[in-house]
Amino acid sequence: MTDAQVATPLAHRRVLDELRRMVIEWPFSSGALPSEQDLMRRYEVSRGTLRRATNELVRAGLLSAERGRGTYVVRDEQVRVIMEDVMLEFGHPDSRWHLDYSRFVPDFDGSDRAAERVAESSPYQASSSVFVTPDNSLGAFTVRALNDGKKVLVPTFGLRRGIMRLDPSVISPSEREFASTLDGLERLGHRLTLSELSRERIDLCVSGAIAIGDDGRLFNQREGFLDIELALLLHLEVIEEDVPLLAVVHDAQLLGLKSPGPTHVDAALTPSRSVSFQRARSGASIDVLLAAQEANPTLAYLGELLHPEKVST
Amino acid sequence: MTPETIQEHRERIWDTLNRVGKPDSRFHWDFTSFIADFEGNDAATARVLELDVWNAADRVFITPDNSTERLRRAALQQGKTILVTTYGIRRGFMEIPAGTVPADEIKYASTLDGLDVYGQPRTLAELEGTNTIALLVTGGSAVSRNGIRFGKGHGYFDLEWAMLSEIGLIDSESRVVDVVHDEQVVDEVLNGEPHDVPVDWIATPTRTIAVPDLSRTPGQVFWEMIPGTEHETIPPIIELAARR
């Protein structure tokens, strides 16, 4: 093996690490990254080595190369990567994913106090059935809602096996902590068929999030399950266009910048405060469902809903 | 076994899982990511409960598989302490001491989500010097009639056995039972590798197979096999490596 063959992977590794660090720290207000020539000088590498690193970050979704305009940092992905570090400060591990916060929204100390704030809100007090995302941060809220006699609908992780209903008239008080976990949801929830789901009525939605922008838009896992679930519920008329949508988050998940995400919450509740946002929600269209089904044919309900002719009876 | 027969067994076991395996709360039907619960598991569980060594034990080690959840529940109900690893051993060992879980919360405590609530983390230093473990329960994989496990996931149990041996919790009296579906039992005699832990019993929904003429001694960590694997970064391996 020649020196050049040894040096190339090492140089690639170094440039990739340095470029990635620069991208993660790239100020939100700045525009395109420095030119290729500038970066080649800065890292003292060839154009080929630099491009390999840049392309790798483009594939990872952190950079977008726009022909003739330059290379830009993808804000949404940048925030997700930053938040994975931030969440290490306060997040609780998951029983399967442990500390891999790219896979789930963690619970945190004080999530019970945030749940308490939701319970004090008027949309909550007026509600009888609540939709709750399958995030670990919403365990305390789910227990509270069941104890207050509300029905709770929770999707299975990644909407893979449909939406489950937790019914406080069936689940005894001593089982409710268990019911609020994903393992408990399996055993104590009732899986709704598409026709059962379409007969449900939900008057409050509560979500976890990786972070929330100062405009009330959510940063979330890249698959965007909440958007798909809300579009599905709206399409089935389980929720109405103006259903209240609240988020339970840690204080460190409230960010002072805008999110490009489509989903807008009415308020964020943290252990220490409630923040309301101006509502600017657009009605979800069936296009969201069609795109979701195309991207991931294993999502529950969508095949049956969108292509009923293909479902054998 | 020839490569062809191994492949045939794999395909048959895979077909069986797709038919009788139960989904996981995170991984759904991705049976490459976890050891699944299966139809008939309650009958296999009942067979383990009949073993004298189960009844005599006041602490049992049980792997964090979905197929061993009923045994974790039974152990807690019968007032035993359970020693468990976290999924993939990523956060090491946990213990749920006897009598620490209220009766109506035992079902919860026996799941992996419940282990995070009721389990108490244990370093190897904390476990060292406690009584030896009379019975270890593992699940999944495929197992030959002479008790050699093979296929997906068996490496974790071999490592758990090795680490517990290194701190003196395994002795020549320690016994191992493997809970599997009937289709996971392969009617062949396999030659194990030095790091393989042959099992004493195979409990299925329809039968209990006692493996004859088992010779097995406490194990050891095979350090040359660790570097470059996912085992390299698990806390108890880091702890043991620091002692070498």
Side-chain angles (χ1 to χ4, degrees), chain A:
Chain A
M1 196 180 271
T2 66
D3 281 356
Q5 281 170 310
V6 178
T8 306
L10 283 177
H12 170 64
R13 190 77 246 163
R14 176 178 64 80
V15 174
L16 183 63
D17 286 349
E18 291 188 17
L19 192 61
R20 190 170 187 278
R21 194 175 321 124
M22 184 182 79
V23 166
I24 288 167
E25 291 170 358
W26 194 245
F28 292 125
S29 53
S30 303
L33 292 185
S35 71
E36 240 175 20
Q37 282 76 14
D38 287 348
L39 291 174
M40 283 159 60
R41 262 197 307 277
R42 181 182 305 187
Y43 300 132
E44 297 172 332
V45 288
S46 67
R47 186 182 301 270
T49 302
L50 177 69
R51 283 215 176 145
R52 242 181 97 197
T54 313
N55 289 340
E56 201 155 313
L57 295 182
V58 169
R59 273 198 302 279
L62 256 175
L63 285 180
S64 101
E66 295 172 25
R67 192 177 274 273
R69 293 188 52 221
T71 303
Y72 290 83
V73 177
V74 178
R75 163 80 61 83
D76 214 11
E77 190 59 28
Q78 183 188 16
V79 170
R80 269 194 284 266
V81 172
I82 293 170
M83 288 309 295
E84 281 176 33
D85 279 348
V86 172
M87 288 189 284
L88 282 174
E89 301 284 316
F90 61 80
H92 297 182
D94 178 71
S95 64
R96 315 291 200 281
W97 309 121
H98 302 299
L99 297 173
D100 180 2
Y101 294 135
S102 67
R103 309 305 294 267
F104 73 104
V105 175
D107 194 12
F108 52 84
D109 287 338
S111 64
D112 53 338
R113 293 200 304 280
E116 201 61 38
R117 282 177 200 282
V118 179
E120 288 163 6
S121 72
S122 47
Y124 176 85
Q125 287 170 2
S127 69
S128 56
S129 291
V130 188
F131 175 83
V132 176
T133 54
D135 295 320
N136 291 358
S137 51
L138 295 176
F141 173 74
T142 299
V143 173
R144 174 68 197 249
L146 290 171
N147 286 344
D148 287 340
K150 299 180 198 295
K151 250 188 330 186
V152 180
L153 264 59
V154 189
T156 51
F157 195 77
L159 194 59
R160 183 70 200 277
R161 284 178 292 126
I163 294 177
M164 309 284 272
R165 182 179 59 212
L166 297 172
D167 186 339
S169 68
V170 175
I171 300 168
S172 70
S174 69
E175 291 175 317
R176 289 176 188 162
E177 291 277 348
F178 185 28
S180 76
T181 67
L182 288 177
D183 282 343
L185 186 68
E186 295 285 320
R187 291 154 183 87
L188 298 167
H190 168 74
R191 191 184 321 282
L192 298 167
T193 64
L194 182 59
S195 68
E196 285 173 322
L197 177 61
S198 60
R199 287 196 296 275
E200 295 286 337
R201 292 294 173 266
I202 292 290
D203 35 29
L204 172 66
C205 298
V206 181
S207 179
I210 289 172
I212 299 181
D214 62 4
D215 52 355
R217 288 180 196 269
L218 301 179
F219 290 91
N220 248 331
Q221 247 82 25
R222 50 181 83 67
E223 297 87 347
F225 291 116
L226 178 62
D227 306 329
I228 299 165
E229 288 151 2
L230 292 177
L232 172 69
L233 296 178
L234 195 57
H235 181 80
L236 295 174
E237 298 178 356
V238 175
I239 56 174
E240 294 179 17
E241 194 90 51
D242 60 352
V243 66
L245 174 58
L246 307 179
V248 165
V249 288
H250 189 272
D251 287 279
Q253 289 172 310
L254 287 179
L255 305 183
L257 54 105
K258 301 210 178 314
S259 158
T263 308
H264 195 117
V265 298
D266 297 287
L269 298 307
T270 78
S272 72
R273 60 191 178 131
S274 308
V275 183
S276 297
F277 300 104
Q278 278 298 322
R279 181 190 195 91
R281 214 174 315 151
S282 57
S285 70
I286 190 142
D287 294 346
V288 173
L289 299 179
L290 287 165
Q293 212 259 333
E294 185 157 358
N296 185 355
T298 64
L299 292 176
Y301 304 128
L302 299 188
E304 187 181 354
L305 180 70
L306 300 170
H307 308 290
E309 72 285 355
K310 287 188 191 161
V311 178
S312 55
T313 46

Side-chain angles (χ1 to χ4, degrees), chain B residues 9-244:
Chain B
H9 289 309
R10 282 216 182 99
E11 284 171 14
R12 192 194 67 236
I13 290 165
W14 206 248
D15 283 349
T16 305
L17 266 179
N18 284 327
R19 203 172 61 248
V20 304
K22 299 190 179 172
D24 178 70
S25 63
R26 314 294 199 276
F27 303 117
H28 304 296
W29 291 282
D30 175 13
F31 295 127
T32 61
S33 291
F34 68 104
I35 303 292
D37 187 17
F38 51 83
E39 281 170 36
N41 181 275
D42 47 346
T45 296
R47 290 176 181 281
V48 176
L49 302 188
E50 289 167 5
L51 297 173
D52 289 339
V53 61
W54 170 275
N55 287 303
D58 49 22
R59 178 171 69 164
V60 284
F61 171 85
I62 307 183
T63 51
D65 299 321
N66 291 0
S67 58
T68 52
E69 181 183 320
R70 284 180 186 78
L71 281 163
R72 291 193 293 276
R73 193 189 309 164
L76 293 172
Q77 282 164 345
Q78 296 176 8
K80 299 182 196 301
T81 293
I82 60 173
L83 180 62
V84 187
T85 39
T86 49
Y87 175 85
I89 330 183
R90 298 305 320 166
R91 283 179 288 132
F93 288 86
M94 295 254 209
E95 204 165 45
I96 303 185
T100 57
V101 184
D104 55 2
E105 295 169 33
I106 284 175
K107 207 170 157 186
Y108 180 16
S110 59
T111 64
L112 291 191
D113 280 340
L115 181 66
D116 268 336
V117 175
Y118 300 93
Q120 302 174 9
R122 294 280 189 260
T123 62
L124 293 181
E126 287 165 341
L127 289 170
E128 196 164 28
T130 61
N131 291 339
T132 54
I133 297 166
L135 181 64
L136 299 92
V137 181
T138 180
S141 264
V143 59
S144 70
R145 81 177 129 97
N146 60 325
I148 300 294
R149 303 164 73 248
F150 63 101
K152 194 257 142 199
H154 72 289
Y156 286 109
F157 179 69
D158 292 344
L159 190 63
E160 287 152 356
W161 169 272
M163 294 189 296
L164 292 172
S165 295
E166 294 267 0
I167 58 167
L169 262 64
I170 302 289
D171 66 14
S172 58
E173 297 300 305
S174 299
R175 295 287 173 262
V176 181
V177 57
D178 193 11
V179 178
V180 291
H181 192 271
D182 287 283
E183 299 284 336
Q184 290 171 299
V185 184
V186 170
D187 192 19
E188 309 251 5
V189 172
L190 280 188
N191 293 319
E193 302 283 331
H195 57 270
D196 279 321
V197 181
V199 302
D200 299 84
W201 296 281
I202 303 164
T204 80
T206 64
R207 56 190 178 144
T208 308
I209 303 163
V211 175
D213 309 321
L214 202 61
S215 67
R216 187 189 51 216
T217 52
Q220 62 173 98
V221 174
F222 288 80
W223 290 101
E224 67 281 8
M225 295 175 64
I226 301 287
T229 68
E230 60 213 355
H231 297 159
E232 200 168 13
T233 51
I234 64 177
I237 278 295
I238 292 171
E239 193 183 347
L240 276 181
R243 297 182 179 194
R244 298 179 74 213

